[in-house]
Each structure stands twice: as C-alpha cells, then as structure tokens.
Amino acid sequence: MPVVQRLAESGWLPESLKYAFVFNSLVAALILGPVLGGIGTLVVTKRLAFFSQAIGNAALTGVAIGIILGEPYTSPYVSLFSFCIIFGMAMVFTKNRTKMTTDTLIAVFLCISLAIGACILLYVTAKVNVHVLDNVLFGSILTVNELDLNVLFVISFICIFCGLRFYNRMVLSSFNPNLARVRGIKVIFLEYLFILMVTIITVASVKIIGAILVEALLVIPAASARNLSRSMRGFFFYSATFSTLSCVIGIVVPMELEIPVPSGGAIILVAAFFFAVTTAIRWLRRAYPALGKI
Amino acid sequence: MLTKNEDPPHGPSICFEMVGLCLNNITILQDVSFTVKAGNMHCLIGPNGGGKTSLILSLLGQTPHTGRITINWIGGTTIGYVPQVLDFDRTLPITVNNFMTMICQNMPAFIRTRKKYKDIINNALRLVSMDTKGERRLGELSGGEMQRVLFAQALIPFPDLLILDEPGAGIDRGGAKVIEEIMLVLKKQKVTMVWTNHDLKQVRQMADAVTCIHKEVLFSGTPDEVLTTERVFQAFGATSSGP
C-alpha cells in the first residue's frame, strides 16, 4: 500500500489511489472480476442465472437479520453467510426432493426471502438509518475495509480452488447427470458445492457491487463472452476479462469524473455496455459472414 | 485404438433377477429376469414407454429398483455409456474437443487439453469419422453427429461393458454404419454390450441375444429363436407405437 501511495503522490498513478478506500476497492475489483466472470460461465452453462438473484435477495434479508442481532451494520458477515448458505442449501434440497422445476422453485424461495426481509426491515429502520441499506443494495466503495478484503481473499481462494478442480465435472453433470454418474462424478455433491460457491461469492461481493446487482455480474459478462467466442477458452477468458474491466472501470471512472453514483450501478452499466457491443458484433457477424473471419 | 494394453478385454455377464421399478405409484418394471452372457451383444427391444431406458438406468444403479442385478466382472470393470441425448443450451461455445476433454481430464477444458489425452480424443473421434469436426460447436452438430460424439466418449477409456441407450435414434445412414462397424469390432473383443434398439433388422443381423421388455419380459433368447413375426406383432402390435 505505501508503494502505491507514493506512486500516486508522485504522479505515476491516479491521484485518487492515495486514499485507502480507493485502493481497497480496486484490489477488491481485481479479485472479484475474474472470479465472478469465471463462475458466471458456469452459471450460464448450468442455466442458473435466476438462482444468483435469489441469493442476492437473501443477502438483503441476511443483513437485516444481522442488524437485528446486533452485528455492525457495515459488515454483518455472520448473519449474511449463515442466512444465505442455509437459504441456498434449502433451495437445492427442496429441488432434489420435490423434482420441482428450477424456475418455479427459485421464484418461491425468492419471494419467501423478500417477505422475511420486508418484515424484518421494519424493525431495522427503528435501529439504523434506512439509507444505510442503500450501500448493501447497490454497493459502495466508501465502506470497503480490510475485513471485507480479507473475507474476499478467503472466499475467492475457495471458489478458485473448487472451480478449477471441479469445472469439467460441474459442466458434465448439467449436460447429462446419468452419464456423469457413470463416469464416477458425484452429481448431487457438486450441485450443493456449486450453489455454495455462488452463495459465498455473492455475499463477499455485497459491499462492492450490492446485493441486488451481484447477479448481473455473474450473468452479463458470461453472456457477452458467449457472443464472441466459439470455444470454452474464449468463453471463460472473455467473461473474466469483461467482468474485471467492468469492475475497474465502474469504480475508477465515476470517482475520477466525480459522478455520485453507487459503485454497483456503475459496474453493471459498464458490463451492460460490453454486452451491447458484443451483441452488435455477433449480429454483424451473422449478417455479414465475411466479418466473422476478421 | 480399439485394443487395451493388457490382455484382450472380456466383458462381464449380467444377471437380472425379479427386477421391479415403481415410480410415483406407477409400475415401470415388474419381475424382469434374464441373463446377459459375458461378451455378448444383447439387445433390448420393446414398445416406447415399455421400460427399456428405466432398465438401463437400473443396471447403472441410478434408480431405486427392487430385485437384484448382478454384474459378474471377469476382466476389467470399466463401463462405457452412450446416453440418448445431452441437455444443454445449443448456443453455448463448447466444441466437440472441449466436450471430449471434459470427459478425459480434471483440468478445466478452457485451459488446455493435456498432451496425453489429445491422441486418445483424436483416435476416438476418428473412429466415428468426427475427427475433422473437433472444433465444431456441440450446438451446431446434427442429431447423427451428436450420437457419434456420444459413442466416441464411451470408448474412453476402453470399456469392458458398453451400455447403449438407443444410439441409432436420429442417426444418418453413414453414421449408423460407422457405429455398427465399431460395435462388431468390440464384439470380436468380447466386450459385453447391452443395447436398446428399435431397428429389428439390425438386431437380427448383429445381436447374440435379444430381450423384449414391456413392463415385464415378453420374450428373451437368440434373435433367430425368438424374433418370429408372431411374437414381434404381439409385442409391438398390441400397442400403438411400432418398432
């Protein structure tokens, strides 16, 4: 950190990096970007985009529970992780037991979570200023501290380790569970593990991107990457790149230009810009096949 | 490619004893008993919805069936399985080579294919005449091409027991011939094959034994013995769906 500060003071790096919160949020962005982009390819492949939204909503309820239980309102991690993990695991458990379609199940759980959150929030507003929740909902780089960074480091390490180790098997399980089982893959275990990965990385992203918008960063970069790539390599690396660039640009640009917007909103708008451009490229390639060779 | 490093493989024999399956209070299979001899190509025929795929899944240990299914392994214990379909978003950028890589190795397919698997994958794809289409997206393949890829994956690693769930469905003539030829080679190598099939002509030509399933075993034996016009009519004519 002091090196970065000195470089910022001497003019080699942007002046804003002098501030610890800016540095913290950029570090967080550089970690979160590739991890969310990478996991996003699995979310899109396994068609679980709405699941991450349900977890995002559960995060809001988790924060509310944390405040009620007396945790610090800037980092109620115990309640956040506990509630979201129970919520995610309950969803997979119910899906496996009832064989209900995923979209119906997610809608049911999403509504339940919001209903609990709405009820508890009434009590929360009596304890803290309700605008505190804006930071949780839409992200704020001002509140990122070292604890958040440490949590992010640990969670990202777990996600990267599990992701690299089980990526192929998770994809195969979604393609044909019977084939996967014949090949010795523990389909149910991997289903729980994947949901756990999405849940913990969602919770770890709440401070930067916000509970409502994390889902977007799991889906939009992967969807943009799909527009451009023809193989898994392109799919994964484009997705990680778009996600990282969205995080960095979404944090740096509003700060440098002094535009007062929540970091989550800005990040997602940048991601949406990538999506629009890549969709246009895909459309042009289809309309003019000669362009596809460029 | 179609050989093992060790002695020639010899597939297992399989014994189905009073196998039953009931899902949501609907009886799918009832008192199914027959034997698949070691190294035989054994076809399962029967009308649609008769329980062939359920019996295959029971054999794979993936249904809560009753009764007993015993696999008496003789040589190795590798099972190859050719499913009917893959359920995936057809716009995904996943190529045939990516899919085959995912089958072979733990290292994510987006990083690279390990050198030792490249030749194995190429050989398997060459056997089904798909080696020139390794960079095609899975979603761009025709039904027949997809079946060939699914067949190719079942050959890695070399199977002792090959289970095929209607591999001929939707396949083109060329593809069917390619797969037939490989199956004949596997038959010579004494790989046990359990194969659900709708093509009775193919069953007569290739199978060592055939069992007709419609909830229960309607008949079982060698094709010459049991595939009489009368029996086939009885099995398929009694239902609206034919062979």
Side-chain angles (χ1 to χ4, degrees):
Chain A
M1 173 66 195
V3 180
V4 176
Q5 246 170 355
R6 273 204 297 277
L7 286 172
E9 277 164 7
S10 57
W12 288 98
L13 288 173
E15 202 183 334
S16 50
L17 281 173
K18 281 191 299 192
Y19 305 107
F21 77 89
V22 177
F23 178 78
N24 285 348
S25 55
L26 270 182
V27 171
L30 288 171
I31 301 169
L32 260 185
V35 176
L36 285 176
I39 294 179
T41 58
L42 279 171
V43 169
V44 168
T45 302
K46 291 166 83 70
R47 291 184 271 202
L48 282 173
F50 278 110
F51 172 79
S52 41
Q53 189 181 7
I55 293 293
N57 281 323
L60 174 65
T61 310
V63 170
I65 292 173
I67 296 173
I68 288 287
L69 295 178
E71 282 195 80
Y73 63 81
T74 52
S75 50
Y77 279 121
V78 175
S79 303
L80 251 178
F81 277 109
S82 310
F83 181 74
C84 290
I85 289 173
I86 291 170
F87 180 81
M89 296 297 111
M91 211 169 354
V92 188
F93 181 80
T94 313
K95 179 182 160 243
N96 287 333
R97 287 301 160 114
T98 61
K99 304 290 174 202
M100 205 184 280
T101 56
T102 315
D103 59 339
T104 309
L105 187 80
I106 290 173
V108 169
F109 270 76
L110 195 146
C111 298
I112 294 171
S113 164
L114 267 185
I116 299 171
C119 294
I120 297 177
L121 279 176
L122 192 70
Y123 294 97
V124 171
T125 49
K127 279 196 164 191
V128 295
N129 184 341
V130 76
H131 291 296
V132 166
L133 289 172
D134 288 351
N135 296 339
V136 178
L137 287 174
F138 304 111
S140 167
I141 57 170
L142 290 168
T143 56
V144 178
N145 56 31
E146 288 201 358
L147 171 69
D148 301 324
L149 274 189
N150 290 336
V151 168
L152 193 55
F153 269 125
V154 173
I155 298 296
S156 299
F157 177 79
I158 295 171
C159 288
I160 291 169
F161 176 78
C162 295
L164 290 178
R165 192 169 166 76
F166 297 114
Y167 193 95
N168 291 348
R169 286 178 257 185
M170 284 175 173
V171 175
L172 277 179
S173 303
S174 72
F175 277 15
N176 189 308
N178 297 329
L179 175 63
R181 285 192 194 100
V182 170
R183 291 196 161 268
I185 296 170
K186 293 181 171 59
V187 175
I188 300 287
F189 165 73
L190 287 184
E191 198 172 351
Y192 277 101
L193 181 68
F194 179 68
I195 296 303
L196 185 68
M197 277 166 61
V198 174
T199 305
I200 59 178
I201 197 67
T202 300
V203 172
S205 315
V206 160
K207 291 293 275 292
I208 294 275
I209 305 166
I212 301 288
L213 296 172
V214 181
E215 176 225 359
L217 214 55
L218 279 168
V219 177
I220 300 178
S224 310
R226 186 164 65 173
N227 284 336
L228 294 187
S229 42
R230 283 195 59 82
S231 71
M232 280 178 89
R233 177 179 292 237
F235 186 33
F236 185 89
F237 288 107
Y238 275 131
S239 179
T241 307
F242 288 146
S243 176
T244 311
L245 284 176
S246 303
C247 286
V248 173
I249 296 171
I251 288 172
V252 170
V253 170
M255 199 165 50
E256 293 296 325
L257 301 180
E258 295 179 14
I259 307 169
V261 289
S263 53
I267 288 169
I268 303 310
L269 284 177
V270 178
F273 172 75
F274 284 126
F275 180 72
V277 172
T278 54
T279 305
I281 292 172
R282 182 179 171 151
W283 179 77
L284 283 171
R285 275 184 181 169
R286 285 196 170 179
Y288 307 99
L291 285 174
K293 290 167 189 161
I294 297 171
Chain B
M1 164 67 198
L2 283 179
T3 50
K4 265 189 158 181
N5 293 331
E6 51 208 66
D7 294 327
H10 202 291
S13 62
I14 306 164
C15 189
F16 294 84
E17 290 172 87
M18 302 297 280
V19 175
L21 179 64
C22 196
L23 295 174
N24 299 325
N25 292 327
I26 297 169
T27 305
I28 315 281
L29 295 168
Q30 195 179 336
D31 299 340
V32 173
S33 299
F34 66 96
T35 304
V36 177
K37 287 183 186 162
N40 259 12
M41 181 188 284
H42 196 116
C43 280
L44 299 178
I45 61 168
N48 286 329
K52 299 186 296 294
T53 297
S54 298
L55 189 65
I56 292 272
L57 291 178
S58 300
L59 171 59
L60 293 171
Q62 297 185 8
T63 57
H65 65 85
T66 56
R68 190 195 292 189
I69 302 174
T70 317
I71 304 179
N72 303 303
W73 297 102
I74 297 169
T77 57
T78 307
I79 300 177
Y81 171 58
V82 183
Q84 279 183 18
V85 284
L86 289 185
D87 176 25
F88 67 103
D89 176 349
R90 293 183 73 84
T91 63
L92 280 177
I94 295 179
T95 64
V96 173
N97 281 338
N98 288 152
F99 173 69
M100 296 297 280
T101 302
M102 286 194 287
I103 289 287
C104 293
Q105 67 181 35
N106 282 337
M107 182 203 281
F110 60 78
I111 296 180
R112 66 182 167 88
T113 308
R114 281 188 196 278
K115 213 176 167 189
K116 64 175 175 178
Y117 293 122
K118 272 188 182 166
D119 288 341
I120 294 173
I121 291 171
N122 276 337
N123 284 338
L125 289 176
R126 192 175 303 126
L127 279 173
V128 294
S129 304
M130 284 296 289
D131 52 321
T132 55
K133 294 177 180 169
E135 292 307 315
R136 281 256 188 109
R137 280 189 190 192
L138 285 183
E140 291 170 353
L141 300 181
S142 67
E145 287 171 331
M146 178 58 90
Q147 279 299 326
R148 290 198 226 179
V149 172
L150 289 176
F151 192 86
Q153 64 77 29
L155 300 176
I156 306 174
F158 190 90
D160 299 292
L161 168 62
L162 184 62
I163 298 168
L164 306 102
D165 196 0
E166 295 194 32
I171 201 163
D172 51 295
R173 268 183 87 84
K177 198 156 180 274
V178 167
I179 289 181
E180 270 178 22
E181 281 169 10
I182 301 168
M183 290 183 74
L184 287 174
V185 176
L186 293 173
K187 191 175 162 183
K188 274 186 194 156
Q189 303 228 11
K190 297 282 183 194
V191 172
T192 305
M193 284 177 269
V194 179
W195 180 17
T196 65
N197 199 337
H198 271 268
D199 186 346
L200 294 183
K201 193 177 157 201
Q202 203 175 34
V203 174
R204 281 197 180 95
Q205 283 171 352
M206 295 178 66
D208 296 311
V210 58
T211 300
C212 182
I213 307 275
H214 188 207
K215 268 192 196 176
E216 51 196 3
V217 175
L218 295 187
F219 55 81
S220 188
T222 63
D224 291 341
E225 276 170 21
V226 296
L227 280 186
T228 59
T229 314
E230 211 172 83
R231 274 186 160 152
V232 170
F233 180 75
Q234 215 176 7
F236 292 99
T239 61
S240 55
S241 53

